Amino acid sequence: MHNVSPVTNRGSSDVDVPAQERAATTYKARLRQEEAMIIRWAQLWRTIALSAMEKTLFPYTRYIRALNLEDLEELLEDSKFKDKVSSMFFKGELSKYKVHTNGARGRLDAGSIANALGEIITTSTPMVEELSGKITNDSLLRWIPRVPRLRLLSPWYGGSLVGTGPLLRQHCHAFKNLSLWGWNHDDADQRFADFLNEINPQTLESLEIFSHSSVGPESFLALSCHRESLTELKLNSVNDIARKSLNMLAGCTNLTKLLLTDGSGRFIDLKNAHNDVFLETVAWLRNCKKLRAITIRDFPGGQDLITPILLENDIRLTHLELKGYVMADARDFHQALSNQPSLLELHLQGDSDEAGEGGPVLVESLSQLVNLTDLRLQDVSDYFTDEMIGRLARSLPKLEGWYTSGWGVTDAIWPDIARLQSLRRLDMAATSRFTAEGILDFILTLGPGNKGLVLAVMMGEVEYNLSDEEQTMIRDTIAACVDGRFEFQLQRDPDVSEFEADSD
């Protein structure tokens, strides 16, 4: 239900309020606006609960397709949910659901309240296809038979799944998407494997674990029961045991999206420490011929896992993200990038090569990726020069978003950047020496395809500071030409010497 709530993003009242409007609004008016939004949010959930109790004119709950109880918890925990708002919400039929964590003087027990109201709501939601929130195991065992159209389940804690597999198999034949925040328990791996074996085979299409968990080898083997259906696998904060068991996913070769992030904190390179597992994992990934998107973050030796995929002519990636690698050790990876001209989005972040030897190799490969629409280079481009940035601009005509660092970048890049007729965002995180004249000349060349362009100069050198008047002129010009926005920030405080800044 959070999709139709007037307040989303954990109840932030800044959502959908333009910056200019926020700046122009007085403090008291802002408070009234926030109060009005929290009231509407509370009224929405109160109406849903009353509808389930058949206390409303229309049976609203019967048309709910996505029920997100986490949104309800966020409402109850919001600092503005108090006094008259809280009294309004819990009056009448809902008064008995007002529970505190430590008696009447404690704060609201949002989790217990959400589960208690969920108990009522789910008795009249036959159309629900998505169910999410911090749902307890007892609640989930009762609710599953009530939601036969369920497709997506996100119960936050994996322990809530215990015993639900047979129920999903019997009542929810459309179930295919599962996401968990985490599951840390000694028997979590075995319990999750049991769950995967208990639901209908070859039905699970996507699995995402957002944080730390004890999921490992047994669960990976059990995923083979869904090897034909599983297309998306996202495993965050993979622990050491799970990392050494990735080869047990060998049967899951129909993947189109894969995400792996390391959570062990031990920084053990799989290739060097467990080469047999590394080779089997690489063989698995090379067999994933339908793979289109791969993300590997903070995974020691991640570039070594990805390089063989890049060299597979039968694999055509459209999205690639690699974070936390050492540029000096990634020459083969950088060279292999050129074998994937199908890439549309490429995000690279890693330790830069101070010797400067890796930069030209990376630029050479990137220049071959002519279909890129989004390019994000963090740290790996720290020593990019005007010519390197200019070459990329000349070679990648379809870019719509571009983030790059660099060293001593000047106005010389603007004529090449102006070739990018679809550019909508440029984040220049390079130490730069731009002038107001150079930036204005660039803006005046923009066309209809650049409408809404956000131009961010994030590390201007102090000697090339733009005056307030120049910044205002640039902002007014970009707004008038393409309805765009200009952001400017210096590399360091101009009132602090470079020596002082370095010592800090």
Side-chain angles (χ1 to χ4, degrees):
M1 284 303 299
H2 68 292
N3 292 327
V4 293
S5 171
V7 183
T8 57
N9 191 26
R10 299 195 179 276
S12 171
S13 55
D14 286 343
V15 177
D16 297 331
V17 181
Q20 292 181 344
E21 182 179 335
R22 292 200 303 269
T25 304
T26 65
Y27 177 71
K28 289 184 177 180
R30 177 80 186 280
L31 289 180
R32 289 195 297 270
Q33 183 183 62
E34 291 176 354
E35 183 179 5
M37 295 178 76
I38 202 77
I39 289 173
R40 291 197 300 271
W41 192 9
Q43 286 174 333
L44 171 68
W45 277 107
R46 176 175 168 81
T47 300
I48 291 171
L50 291 176
S51 173
M53 299 175 183
E54 299 183 347
K55 300 294 183 180
T56 56
L57 182 60
F58 297 103
Y60 300 111
T61 53
R62 294 194 173 277
Y63 303 100
I64 294 176
R65 293 183 182 275
L67 180 60
N68 183 356
L69 293 174
E70 186 181 355
D71 185 76
L72 173 56
E73 284 195 50
E74 290 170 356
L75 166 67
L76 298 172
E77 293 173 342
D78 193 285
S79 61
K80 295 179 287 297
F81 186 83
K82 57 185 179 180
D83 301 330
K84 67 176 184 180
V85 180
S86 178
S87 298
M88 177 274 293
F89 184 85
F90 286 111
K91 70 181 179 181
E93 292 83 351
L94 298 190
S95 60
K96 63 181 179 181
Y97 294 96
K98 190 174 185 179
V99 181
H100 296 82
T101 56
N102 188 25
R105 295 182 179 274
R107 60 184 176 84
L108 288 174
D109 188 344
S112 295
I113 295 171
N115 274 270
L117 289 176
E119 180 70 28
I120 299 299
I121 294 170
T122 55
T123 60
S124 58
T125 53
M127 303 294 288
V128 161
E129 297 177 357
E130 301 179 9
L131 180 60
S132 56
K134 298 175 183 177
I135 307 168
T136 65
N137 179 244
D138 288 343
S139 295
L140 202 54
L141 289 170
R142 290 191 300 272
W143 298 358
I144 286 176
R146 305 172 184 172
V147 287
R149 294 174 180 261
L150 188 68
R151 293 186 301 105
L152 181 149
L153 179 60
S154 182
W156 189 266
Y157 175 59
S160 299
L161 295 174
V162 175
T164 63
L167 292 173
L168 287 165
R169 183 173 187 147
Q170 179 181 355
H171 298 281
C172 304
H173 301 297
F175 174 66
K176 58 184 177 180
N177 303 305
L178 176 66
S179 60
L180 306 171
W181 178 256
W183 194 350
N184 288 301
H185 199 274
D186 291 342
D187 64 354
D189 191 25
Q190 178 60 59
R191 292 279 196 171
F192 191 45
D194 291 342
F195 170 85
L196 293 170
N197 285 317
E198 289 167 351
I199 61 176
N200 284 310
Q202 310 303 343
T203 56
L204 191 65
E205 294 183 5
S206 70
L207 170 63
E208 181 167 12
I209 300 177
F210 294 103
S211 188
H212 294 274
S213 75
S214 301
V215 169
E218 294 190 56
S219 300
F220 293 168
L221 282 175
L223 279 172
S224 294
C225 293
H226 305 277
R227 60 186 177 277
E228 296 176 9
S229 58
L230 190 66
T231 59
E232 295 186 20
L233 180 61
K234 299 180 180 181
L235 303 174
N236 286 282
S237 300
V238 173
N239 63 33
D240 191 43
I241 294 176
R243 187 147 50 91
K244 291 185 291 186
S245 307
L246 289 174
N247 55 330
M248 295 186 181
L249 290 165
C252 302
T253 56
N254 276 333
L255 294 179
T256 60
K257 295 182 180 179
L258 174 65
L259 178 146
L260 298 172
T261 73
D262 184 80
S264 68
R266 298 179 62 184
F267 304 106
I268 298 175
D269 189 330
L270 197 62
K271 180 179 180 180
N272 295 320
H274 305 281
N275 190 252
D276 55 337
V277 174
F278 169 79
L279 293 175
E280 291 177 7
T281 302
V282 167
W284 160 52
L285 293 174
R286 292 178 64 185
N287 284 328
C288 296
K289 303 301 185 182
K290 298 178 182 179
L291 196 62
R292 295 295 176 266
I294 183 167
T295 297
I296 296 184
R297 302 190 189 117
D298 302 319
F299 223 80
Q303 72 274 8
D304 295 322
L305 285 176
I306 295 179
T307 300
I309 301 174
L310 300 177
L311 296 174
E312 281 292 317
N313 292 327
D314 293 337
I315 296 178
R316 298 287 89 182
L317 297 176
T318 58
H319 174 95
L320 171 60
E321 178 181 349
L322 178 61
K323 176 184 177 183
Y325 71 104
V326 179
M327 192 174 182
D329 299 335
R331 183 182 183 89
D332 291 344
F333 165 70
H334 289 155
Q335 290 178 326
L337 285 170
S338 63
N339 198 52
Q340 292 291 327
S342 55
L343 278 170
L344 303 178
E345 301 172 340
L346 177 62
H347 301 173
L348 301 177
Q349 186 274 323
D351 293 340
S352 59
D353 182 2
E354 294 187 17
E357 298 176 357
V361 174
L362 179 56
V363 171
E364 177 65 31
S365 286
L366 294 179
S367 298
Q368 311 303 313
L369 307 179
V370 295
N371 291 305
L372 280 179
T373 59
D374 185 64
L375 176 62
R376 188 174 184 87
L377 304 173
Q378 292 181 264
D379 304 331
V380 294
S381 54
D382 280 355
Y383 296 96
F384 276 19
T385 63
D386 283 351
E387 174 52 35
M388 290 177 175
I389 293 174
R391 181 179 177 186
L392 290 178
R394 295 190 299 272
S395 304
L396 308 176
K398 298 181 181 181
L399 280 183
E400 299 174 10
W402 189 2
Y403 181 109
T404 185
S405 52
W407 186 264
V409 180
T410 73
D411 287 337
I413 68 168
W414 294 126
D416 291 319
I417 301 290
R419 297 167 175 257
L420 302 175
Q421 299 179 9
S422 300
L423 191 66
R424 298 295 181 87
R425 181 165 190 112
L426 177 61
D427 292 290
M428 190 58 63
T431 59
S432 58
R433 303 168 183 174
F434 300 135
T435 65
E437 292 78 11
I439 296 174
L440 286 168
D441 287 344
F442 162 68
I443 292 172
L444 293 174
T445 65
L446 298 173
N450 305 116
K451 185 174 177 60
L453 172 70
V454 177
L455 173 59
V457 176
M458 305 162 69
M459 292 186 64
E461 294 187 10
V462 173
E463 295 77 8
Y464 288 82
N465 191 9
L466 300 177
S467 67
D468 291 343
E469 292 78 9
E470 289 174 326
Q471 291 185 47
T472 299
M473 182 180 297
I474 292 172
R475 290 189 177 97
D476 290 345
T477 303
I478 197 171
C481 290
V482 292
D483 193 24
R485 189 170 79 246
F486 175 69
E487 300 171 0
F488 181 76
Q489 185 173 335
L490 289 174
Q491 181 183 15
R492 59 179 174 83
D493 189 333
D495 296 327
V496 178
S497 69
E498 187 173 0
F499 175 78
E500 291 176 310
D502 289 341
S503 65
D504 291 341

